[in-house]
Amino acid sequence: MKTSIATVCISGTLVDKLHACAAAGFDGVEIFEPDLIAAPESPEEIRALASRLHLSLDLYQPMRDVEGVDEAEFARVLRRARAKFELMARLGMDLVLCCSNVATATIDDDAVSAAQLRRLGDLAAEYGIRIAFEALAWGRFIDDYRRAWRVVELADHPSVGVCLDSFHILSRGHDPAAIESIPGDRIFFVQLADAPALTMDVLSWSRHHRLFPGEGSFDLAGFVAHIVRTGYSGPLSLEVFNDTFRQTDVRETAVHAHRSLRWLEDAVSRRLGADADERLARLPEPEPPTGFDFVEIKAEDTSAVEVLLAQLGFTARGRHRTKPVTLWSAGRARVVLNEQHAAGQAPHLAALGVAVPHPDRLAARARELGTPSAFRRTYAAEQALDAVRAPDGTEIYWVGAAAGEPDWTTEFEHGLPDAAESGASGVHAIDHVSLTQPWESIDEAVLLLGAVFSLDPASSTDVAGPQGLVQSRVMTARDGDVRIALNVVPTSLAHAGEGRRGLPQHVAFRCGDARALARFARTRGLQVLPIPDNYYEDLAARFDLADDDLAELRALGIVYDRDDAGEYLQFYTRIVGDVFFEFVQRLGGYDGFGAGNAPVRLTAQGAGRDRT
Amino acid sequence: MKTSIATVCISGTLVDKLHACAAAGFDGVEIFEPDLIAAPESPEEIRALASRLHLSLDLYQPMRDVEGVDEAEFARVLRRARAKFELMARLGMDLVLCCSNVATATIDDDAVSAAQLRRLGDLAAEYGIRIAFEALAWGRFIDDYRRAWRVVELADHPSVGVCLDSFHILSRGHDPAAIESIPGDRIFFVQLADAPALTMDVLSWSRHHRLFPGEGSFDLAGFVAHIVRTGYSGPLSLEVFNDTFRQTDVRETAVHAHRSLRWLEDAVSRRLGADADERLARLPEPEPPTGFDFVEIKAEDTSAVEVLLAQLGFTARGRHRTKPVTLWSAGRARVVLNEQHAAGQAPHLAALGVAVPHPDRLAARARELGTPSAFRRTYAAEQALDAVRAPDGTEIYWVGAAAGEPDWTTEFEHGLPDAAESGASGVHAIDHVSLTQPWESIDEAVLLLGAVFSLDPASSTDVAGPQGLVQSRVMTARDGDVRIALNVVPTSLAHAGEGRRGLPQHVAFRCGDARALARFARTRGLQVLPIPDNYYEDLAARFDLADDDLAELRALGIVYDRDDAGEYLQFYTRIVGDVFFEFVQRLGGYDGFGAGNAPVRLTAQGAGRDRT
């Protein structure tokens, strides 16, 4: 379908915004009035620029407080409307958004509102303009799209229809199914926004916390499916008020926004199945990954990481044929150490790989979603892997999910794993990865991991550390063994120059017996992150652990969690550069991450004091 | 009264926190359990450190979900409680906070809760420990302090009393007057937090947005007055969960926190009048300023500012006797240009002065509030002015409010004003000042301006600019002519290196006729900030201004606002360095700042592109 976006979604001047929206692939824009008022360019210049950029000017917005008023006030409404219709004529625009009255309404009567909309429609018709009437969630009297539609029906004017905004409908919990009772040609415009599940006043929620589709908790595919079934033929347009997106680079944010609509159209098309409209963009089939394939640690000198891996029983599988890169593995857990083009860099998590059923299909999907691809030099006879670069800079590769070792491992000296290796320490897989996110791109990362890799986001949680709260959002693969935690660093740390981004990244490996692994690693000289005695005393108060079990956990620096589903044991290495490793054992159906233990870890890591 | 603070309020490790609280002057602390659990120090070490620092350990907190449960669950409660009581004995602590049940409560019966608190009291008594029971605002059954007190009365145990927390009571709108029906010796602890007026779920509001007293909208002086009237003899303790204070420097935040309690005690004492308890700290009388005395612009080279002032009809009053400082004035608007110790600095607003009835009294008040004083070299026979340094670095001076020119102006070559000077352009006073605030110190600035200068804060508002929302909080003097806008810069700009802090500061001068002043300045070559034509077309749509009036405003670059009380005219100079000037005319009772015009100005200033 045609894509559009309100200029209020993004930063910069109106001219900046038009250029960015056109470059990102939008078909049109909604002109947010304050953007035009603040622009030095004339309406004719804006019209001409949009024309050159092949952007349609879809909706002028908003006109406020137009109905439910007394006659004296309505005279002022008509005077104001005429001025705006004249302006719209200069812009070459023919659709205006009128919101339900929040400020001046004194008459709670559908007939009065309808009569006033009809008179406004008469005036608009003189200019060839149509009115899209929208129920704001906090409208004084009209705050439900079903009532807005009743008023539009009563107005019974060809120039008056409804605008449906997903936020105003879904934030109030109104059932969107009744959309299908509205004829598609009476829906003049559709505005889309996602949002996190928050309990706060709906006005603040709307003005500050909207998100692009795929980043929040609304069922937007279901919402748009209702719209499509009506035969609506206008654009799908984003109207997202978000404090962050108003600040970020306008070109990047426009690309990000457009990706969300591409993803949404595909999701709607799949939701509709055989009923799908052919105008809906259809992307290659989404498929969640089945597991992690590898992680890559990059540094000028990776030897400190090699020490850790050796202590933890990983097998060194030798150097790559053509690059200063080595491979270590334990079971299905593979770690690539990369010293190529890494001058001056401390060890950090530079890339990860996931296994997917159809790599080519995923590559095509990523391409059609306009994701930035990561480049890696590959020589003839080496396997070329596809990858995207996540907003935080991490490269995410994918390889075909097949039994046994992936093909790329044969490029290393000891391509075939030592049969005994996973027996040495019991590490058998990568359990999860934590990526530190800049505050301004966490939502973009959620969309990218969701749209490209079909990972499902959990709600945000906060973890208290000694330098502030760390906002954490976990993304997981349905039926797959991939978990990625996206952690937003507290602002003060992000700019304090501690490590690469204020918080270390980490890789958690899963093992069959955390106690045995910790003992094994100790005999090889591993120093684990020290956990305070006070922690174990609290553990004793919370759980009825046997004294000798508790003593062993304490001696090994293992932290513990339990829920109704099972148990969880964890221990941590010290931080090397900007990364550390964690080793976890899951017992029963435990599916969490020991969030209750994270504050203790963060304090023990002490803002970098633990760095080796 | 004794002052205390919960360790959760501030950043760092438990040891960092104890040092900071002692240094800031607190008498004691509440130990927030997770801080202890994460600490590598033993309870005995913490006890010994607190003893050396002369800090009492006032309250161990929190124990959760202790009542309203079935017998099996209560057995677990007792087991957990015994472990914590043993720990408290090692810490030498005798008071524990028990919150009303939020998670495990199944029995909604005061008699059951009371019986369980009584049994817990019996166990606590074995350790010489007392229990302070608190109703959380989101308690499962007990969510009102009056019910918590009924349960405590029913429990009828000398070791069981109530804890009163201002947030849990005032956030729910519960009338605090009933506090006076509780005997003071049954109130075991008092926790204080302020908060902004927000409409959101009370749990999130509580966990993220609490503020120190004097920074939010609660009537804490009234709250504490009720407490004092009961004869309560324990500490006033701060429990403030705030995402920012958890990140900021622990030593500075502890000082800031302590200042809020000093201010509050004084405010309570004044509220109680003759009933005031002598234990309440009493500070010198607060007195709001009557007006601005001067602003100071500092730079290595201030000549670009001199050009502006000359164009706007200010009179050059010559150099200071001993310093590379010049004075300009127009009516009561005085501008000091300071080139001392300013190597490499672009023009910026470095200081301002206000006139107050009793400068010595204010100096004593500032000192007792522990505010950092600003130093200025003064020679014999020069007037020594007192000043505090606000958190953003601006120095705020005060001088005696008297008719005519302040004494310090005689230190300049042309000390006595030219009788004709204010006639030249009609500028007669400083109307307001806008100070750009770092995101982490806006609340501290609100407290400082409120506690020291008795300015009243308005609620926060947001102004949309092309690079994000600017959060703005205005502070005004009761019955005085002082208005200071504190503007928090969007995070992306704060770290982008645009200007000193991402947004310029500004000084607004008031004049009797903005049109005449703008015409006058134009003839002298002033270039005003250009305002787009689109703005004036919107103005015509909004207000019924005469065409020729509108044309004149447009020609002069004057923006306009009107409300029920009156009208407002404004125009702006271009930005010089990090500062610009604004000229305003107030008509009728208009008391705002033309907030609706600010987005147009911000866009015209275009992220620094307007800098000269």
Side-chain angles (χ1 to χ4, degrees):
Chain A
M1 294 174 78
K2 216 175 151 257
T3 57
S4 189
I5 181 170
T7 55
V8 71
C9 302
I10 50 181
S11 69
T13 65
L14 184 55
V15 167
D16 294 338
K17 294 175 185 203
L18 294 180
H19 280 285
C21 293
F26 282 98
D27 300 305
V29 298
E30 303 175 34
I31 297 283
F32 181 59
E33 179 169 81
D35 282 332
L36 182 78
I37 289 173
E41 294 79 14
S42 70
E44 289 77 8
E45 286 177 282
I46 296 299
R47 176 184 191 161
L49 174 63
S51 170
R52 169 164 69 86
L53 296 173
H54 302 293
L55 273 181
S56 57
L57 300 180
D58 296 326
L59 181 78
Y60 189 83
Q61 62 118 326
M63 278 190 63
R64 298 191 186 278
D65 305 328
V66 298
E67 44 65 48
V69 296
D70 61 34
E71 271 302 307
E73 179 60 29
F74 192 65
R76 284 190 285 273
V77 167
L78 288 177
R79 186 179 161 283
R80 193 156 43 95
R82 186 177 286 280
K84 295 304 174 187
F85 294 162
E86 283 169 4
L87 172 66
M88 287 175 62
R90 294 171 62 195
L91 286 159
M93 294 182 71
D94 64 1
L95 187 63
V96 63
L97 177 73
C98 292
C99 303
S100 63
N101 200 319
V102 297
T104 60
T106 50
I107 306 169
D108 184 10
D109 182 337
D110 286 355
V112 169
S113 291
Q116 291 176 336
L117 283 181
R118 192 180 315 122
R119 287 164 67 190
L120 206 58
D122 282 339
L123 179 63
E126 291 178 28
Y127 295 86
I129 285 171
R130 296 181 309 149
I131 289 165
F133 181 59
E134 172 184 70
L136 297 182
W138 53 90
R140 173 88 174 83
F141 299 123
I142 300 172
D143 59 4
D144 183 325
Y145 78 99
R146 292 162 293 203
R147 182 163 177 193
W149 165 236
R150 274 203 309 277
V151 169
V152 164
E153 269 193 302
L154 272 176
D156 190 26
H157 192 291
S159 301
V160 180
V162 290
C163 171
L164 300 176
D165 180 309
S166 64
F167 184 88
H168 291 294
I169 295 169
L170 301 176
S171 68
R172 295 288 307 272
H174 295 158
D175 183 351
I179 288 172
E180 297 191 28
S181 64
I182 307 175
D185 61 358
R186 307 301 297 153
I187 301 174
F188 283 6
F189 208 72
V190 171
Q191 293 177 316
L192 299 173
D194 206 339
L198 295 175
T199 311
M200 63 192 306
D201 71 294
V202 71
L203 177 60
S204 300
W205 188 19
S206 170
R207 291 280 168 82
H208 300 284
H209 301 286
R210 291 186 180 205
L211 292 170
F212 293 121
E215 298 168 5
S217 62
F218 287 165
D219 175 16
L220 286 183
F223 180 86
V224 176
H226 293 305
I227 302 268
V228 171
R229 286 202 193 95
T230 67
Y232 167 74
S233 62
L236 297 178
S237 187
L238 297 168
E239 190 190 36
V240 172
F241 302 89
N242 178 291
D243 291 359
T244 296
F245 305 153
R246 289 179 98 129
Q247 297 183 42
T248 45
D249 182 275
V250 62
R251 291 166 301 260
E252 291 172 18
T253 310
V255 169
H256 162 198
H258 193 256
R259 182 178 305 137
S260 76
L261 276 185
R262 297 282 296 173
W263 166 80
L264 179 60
E265 281 196 60
D266 178 59
V268 174
S269 170
R270 292 176 194 288
R271 184 73 65 98
L272 288 167
D275 293 343
D277 194 304
E278 61 189 9
R279 295 170 308 146
L280 287 165
R282 188 81 174 222
L283 308 177
E285 189 85 18
E287 288 173 334
T290 55
F292 284 106
D293 190 59
F294 68 90
V295 292
E296 178 187 294
I297 311 289
K298 189 167 179 172
E300 178 169 343
D301 177 357
T302 59
S303 53
V305 181
E306 295 190 86
V307 171
L308 287 183
L309 293 173
Q311 288 169 334
L312 284 150
F314 281 66
T315 303
R317 307 224 350 232
R319 283 176 65 92
H320 189 271
R321 276 188 218 146
T322 61
K323 295 183 262 195
V325 171
T326 53
L327 171 64
W328 291 70
S329 73
R332 285 177 289 113
R334 286 175 284 272
V335 181
V336 174
L337 301 182
N338 182 355
E339 295 182 347
Q340 189 175 38
H341 305 143
Q345 295 180 24
H348 62 280
L349 181 55
L352 55 93
V354 294
V356 298
H358 301 93
D360 290 345
R361 204 182 280 172
L362 180 56
R365 187 171 167 90
R367 221 166 24 240
E368 294 199 30
L369 284 162
T371 53
S373 55
F375 169 76
R376 179 150 305 199
R377 190 176 295 165
T378 327
Y379 295 100
E382 289 174 10
Q383 190 180 2
L385 299 183
D386 286 311
V388 299
R389 195 171 54 255
D392 69 350
T394 307
E395 296 176 351
I396 307 181
Y397 289 81
W398 55 89
V399 304
E405 289 278 300
D407 294 344
W408 61 267
T409 59
T410 61
E411 295 165 16
F412 291 82
E413 285 171 317
H414 307 290
L416 294 178
D418 179 341
E421 62 144 358
S422 77
S425 66
V427 170
H428 52 77
I430 296 167
D431 184 85
H432 65 274
V433 166
S434 287
L435 301 176
T436 304
Q437 302 295 303
W439 62 274
E440 68 270 26
S441 66
I442 169 82
D443 300 306
E444 187 182 351
V446 167
L447 176 67
L448 186 134
L449 293 174
V452 177
F453 296 99
S454 307
L455 300 185
D456 296 322
S459 296
S460 271
T461 57
D462 289 320
V463 176
Q467 304 303 322
L469 297 178
V470 176
Q471 182 201 335
S472 181
R473 200 158 181 201
V474 173
M475 308 216 44
T476 52
R478 252 157 300 158
D479 312 318
D481 195 10
V482 171
R483 302 170 187 84
I484 298 177
L486 303 174
N487 295 328
V488 181
V489 65
T491 314
S492 61
L493 284 180
H495 299 282
E498 283 285 351
R500 227 158 69 106
R501 299 192 183 91
L503 273 186
Q505 321 235 48
H506 84 265
V507 182
F509 298 98
R510 195 160 60 241
C511 64
D513 184 340
R515 295 176 186 82
L517 175 58
R519 278 192 300 265
F520 169 89
R522 272 173 78 93
T523 63
R524 295 190 168 203
L526 179 75
Q527 288 196 303
V528 301
L529 182 74
I531 303 297
D533 285 349
N534 296 336
Y535 169 83
Y536 293 100
E537 293 180 14
D538 180 62
L539 208 57
R542 288 194 292 136
F543 301 115
D544 49 348
L545 296 167
D547 285 351
D548 55 348
D549 191 18
L550 200 66
E552 184 174 33
L553 295 179
R554 183 194 304 233
L556 296 171
I558 294 174
V559 298
Y560 177 86
D561 192 26
R562 185 200 292 167
D563 63 16
D564 292 342
E567 294 170 282
Y568 191 58
L569 289 87
Q570 308 166 264
F571 67 92
Y572 316 97
T573 68
R574 300 196 165 217
I575 301 169
V576 177
D578 294 311
V579 70
F580 68 95
F581 296 138
E582 176 184 354
F583 294 85
V584 308
Q585 178 185 359
R586 293 180 183 274
L587 286 154
Y590 187 96
D591 199 34
F593 298 87
N597 296 323
V600 172
R601 168 179 60 79
L602 285 166
T603 304
Q605 290 175 334
R609 283 179 232 166
D610 181 66
R611 278 167 218 284
T612 53
Chain B
M1 295 175 78
K2 217 173 150 257
T3 58
S4 189
I5 181 170
T7 55
V8 71
C9 302
I10 50 181
S11 70
T13 65
L14 184 54
V15 167
D16 294 338
K17 294 175 184 203
L18 294 180
H19 280 285
C21 293
F26 282 98
D27 300 305
V29 297
E30 303 175 32
I31 297 283
F32 181 59
E33 179 169 80
D35 283 332
L36 182 80
I37 289 172
E41 295 79 13
S42 70
E44 290 77 9
E45 286 176 281
I46 295 300
R47 176 184 191 161
L49 174 63
S51 169
R52 168 163 71 85
L53 296 173
H54 302 293
L55 273 181
S56 56
L57 300 179
D58 295 326
L59 181 79
Y60 189 84
Q61 62 120 323
M63 279 190 63
R64 298 190 186 280
D65 304 328
V66 297
E67 44 66 48
V69 297
D70 61 33
E71 271 302 307
E73 180 59 29
F74 192 65
R76 284 189 285 273
V77 167
L78 288 177
R79 185 180 163 283
R80 193 156 44 94
R82 187 178 287 280
K84 295 304 173 186
F85 295 162
E86 283 169 3
L87 171 66
M88 286 175 64
R90 294 170 61 196
L91 286 160
M93 295 182 70
D94 64 2
L95 187 63
V96 63
L97 177 73
C98 292
C99 304
S100 63
N101 199 319
V102 298
T104 60
T106 50
I107 305 168
D108 183 9
D109 183 337
D110 288 354
V112 170
S113 292
Q116 291 176 337
L117 283 182
R118 192 180 316 121
R119 288 163 67 189
L120 205 57
D122 283 339
L123 180 61
E126 291 179 26
Y127 295 86
I129 285 171
R130 296 181 310 147
I131 289 164
F133 181 57
E134 172 183 70
L136 296 181
W138 53 91
R140 174 88 172 83
F141 299 123
I142 299 172
D143 60 3
D144 183 324
Y145 78 99
R146 291 161 294 202
R147 183 164 176 191
W149 164 236
R150 274 204 308 278
V151 170
V152 165
E153 270 193 303
L154 272 175
D156 191 25
H157 192 292
S159 302
V160 179
V162 290
C163 172
L164 300 177
D165 180 309
S166 63
F167 184 89
H168 292 294
I169 295 170
L170 301 177
S171 69
R172 296 288 306 271
H174 295 158
D175 183 351
I179 288 172
E180 298 191 28
S181 64
I182 308 175
D185 61 358
R186 307 301 296 153
I187 302 173
F188 283 6
F189 208 71
V190 171
Q191 293 178 317
L192 298 172
D194 206 339
L198 294 174
T199 311
M200 65 191 305
D201 70 295
V202 71
L203 178 60
S204 301
W205 188 18
S206 171
R207 291 279 168 82
H208 300 284
H209 300 285
R210 291 186 181 206
L211 292 169
F212 292 121
E215 298 168 3
S217 62
F218 288 165
D219 175 16
L220 286 183
F223 180 85
V224 176
H226 293 306
I227 303 268
V228 171
R229 286 203 193 95
T230 67
Y232 168 74
S233 63
L236 297 179
S237 187
L238 297 167
E239 190 190 37
V240 172
F241 302 90
N242 178 291
D243 290 0
T244 296
F245 305 153
R246 290 179 98 128
Q247 298 183 42
T248 45
D249 181 275
V250 62
R251 292 166 302 259
E252 291 173 17
T253 309
V255 168
H256 162 198
H258 193 257
R259 181 177 306 136
S260 76
L261 276 186
R262 296 281 295 172
W263 166 80
L264 179 60
E265 282 196 59
D266 178 60
V268 174
S269 170
R270 291 174 196 288
R271 185 72 66 99
L272 287 166
D275 295 343
D277 194 304
E278 61 189 9
R279 296 171 307 147
L280 287 164
R282 187 81 174 221
L283 308 177
E285 190 84 19
E287 289 173 333
T290 55
F292 284 106
D293 190 59
F294 68 89
V295 292
E296 177 186 295
I297 311 289
K298 189 168 180 173
E300 178 169 343
D301 177 357
T302 59
S303 52
V305 182
E306 295 189 88
V307 170
L308 288 184
L309 293 174
Q311 289 170 333
L312 284 150
F314 280 67
T315 303
R317 308 228 345 234
R319 283 176 67 92
H320 189 272
R321 276 189 219 144
T322 62
K323 295 182 263 195
V325 172
T326 52
L327 172 63
W328 291 69
S329 73
R332 286 176 290 114
R334 286 175 284 271
V335 181
V336 173
L337 301 182
N338 182 356
E339 295 183 347
Q340 188 175 37
H341 304 145
Q345 295 180 22
H348 62 280
L349 181 56
L352 55 93
V354 294
V356 298
H358 302 93
D360 290 346
R361 203 183 278 172
L362 180 57
R365 188 172 167 89
R367 220 163 28 237
E368 293 199 32
L369 284 163
T371 52
S373 55
F375 169 76
R376 179 149 304 197
R377 189 175 296 165
T378 327
Y379 295 100
E382 289 174 12
Q383 189 182 359
L385 299 182
D386 285 312
V388 300
R389 196 172 51 256
D392 68 351
T394 307
E395 297 176 352
I396 308 181
Y397 290 80
W398 55 90
V399 303
E405 288 277 300
D407 293 344
W408 60 266
T409 59
T410 62
E411 295 164 17
F412 291 82
E413 286 170 315
H414 308 288
L416 294 177
D418 180 340
E421 62 144 357
S422 77
S425 66
V427 171
H428 52 77
I430 296 167
D431 185 85
H432 64 273
V433 165
S434 287
L435 301 177
T436 305
Q437 302 296 303
W439 62 274
E440 68 270 26
S441 66
I442 170 81
D443 299 308
E444 187 182 352
V446 167
L447 176 66
L448 185 134
L449 292 176
V452 177
F453 296 99
S454 308
L455 299 185
D456 296 322
S459 296
S460 271
T461 57
D462 289 320
V463 176
Q467 305 302 323
L469 297 179
V470 177
Q471 183 201 336
S472 181
R473 201 158 181 203
V474 174
M475 308 217 42
T476 53
R478 250 157 301 156
D479 312 319
D481 195 12
V482 170
R483 303 170 186 84
I484 298 177
L486 303 174
N487 296 328
V488 181
V489 64
T491 314
S492 60
L493 285 180
H495 298 282
E498 283 286 352
R500 229 158 67 105
R501 300 191 182 89
L503 273 185
Q505 320 234 48
H506 84 265
V507 181
F509 297 98
R510 195 160 60 242
C511 62
D513 185 340
R515 294 176 186 81
L517 175 58
R519 278 192 301 264
F520 170 89
R522 270 173 81 91
T523 64
R524 295 190 167 204
L526 179 75
Q527 288 197 304
V528 302
L529 183 75
I531 303 297
D533 286 348
N534 297 335
Y535 170 82
Y536 292 100
E537 293 180 13
D538 181 62
L539 208 56
R542 288 193 291 135
F543 301 115
D544 50 349
L545 294 167
D547 285 351
D548 55 349
D549 190 19
L550 200 66
E552 184 175 33
L553 295 180
R554 182 194 305 234
L556 296 172
I558 293 175
V559 298
Y560 177 87
D561 193 26
R562 185 200 294 166
D563 63 16
D564 292 342
E567 294 171 281
Y568 192 57
L569 289 87
Q570 308 166 264
F571 67 92
Y572 315 97
T573 68
R574 299 195 166 217
I575 301 169
V576 178
D578 293 312
V579 71
F580 68 94
F581 296 137
E582 175 184 354
F583 293 85
V584 308
Q585 178 186 359
R586 294 179 183 274
L587 285 154
Y590 187 95
D591 199 34
F593 299 86
N597 297 323
V600 172
R601 169 179 59 80
L602 285 166
T603 304
Q605 290 176 333
R609 280 178 233 167
D610 180 64
R611 277 169 219 282
T612 54

